[in-house]
Amino acid sequence: MKYGMQLLDEYFRKMKSGEKRIEFRLYDEKRRKIRIGDSIEFSNLSTNEKMEARVVGLLIYKDFSTMFSDLGMVDDGTMDELYDPLAQRKFGVMGIRVEVME
């Protein structure tokens, strides 16, 4: 299956360069369908540039704080600004491990 997701320019560039390999999203109905081996077409919100990536892993957690702690990442609160903590508790959250396809 192929999915489409939009990224802010900063995160698009980091994904394209390989610096960012996990995309963080709510684990809502749409994203519950994503499976390892699926592809995602990421679109840059600023430039409309596109790139394709393959899903190589899925991480499912109750909230971003717990996920970041397990991954050894610093939780700077950015995800709570993007995704309401109530929505995080309602749906859960996911990290989509991707491999950009050249």
Side-chain angles (χ1 to χ4, degrees):
M1 182 68 99
K2 185 173 185 176
Y3 297 91
M5 292 186 190
Q6 297 178 325
L7 294 174
L8 296 172
D9 183 62
E10 172 187 3
Y11 301 116
F12 184 92
R13 286 185 282 116
K14 286 182 178 183
M15 181 81 69
K16 189 172 182 177
S17 74
E19 182 181 344
K20 176 178 166 56
R21 293 182 297 238
I22 302 173
E23 176 57 20
F24 301 105
R25 299 287 171 130
L26 284 180
Y27 193 48
D28 56 14
E29 285 184 35
K30 178 180 176 183
R31 284 156 191 91
R32 287 179 189 269
K33 298 174 184 175
I34 297 172
R35 300 287 180 256
I36 293 172
D38 287 348
S39 63
I40 300 173
E41 182 180 75
F42 289 105
S43 300
N44 185 319
L45 279 169
S46 298
T47 66
N48 206 31
E49 181 181 357
K50 298 183 184 322
M51 74 177 144
E52 192 165 338
R54 186 171 56 89
V55 176
V56 296
L58 298 170
L59 307 167
I60 311 300
Y61 284 83
K62 66 178 184 171
D63 57 42
F64 289 113
S65 181
T66 304
M67 181 188 298
F68 290 167
S69 177
D70 277 0
L71 294 174
M73 298 172 66
V74 175
D75 181 6
D76 64 1
T78 301
M79 297 309 287
D80 286 349
E81 292 174 17
L82 293 172
Y83 299 106
D84 181 357
L86 291 176
Q88 291 180 47
R89 285 192 290 278
K90 178 180 178 182
F91 297 110
V93 302
M94 72 183 310
I96 307 166
R97 289 189 184 271
V98 297
E99 185 176 86
V100 174
M101 301 164 71
E102 297 292 327

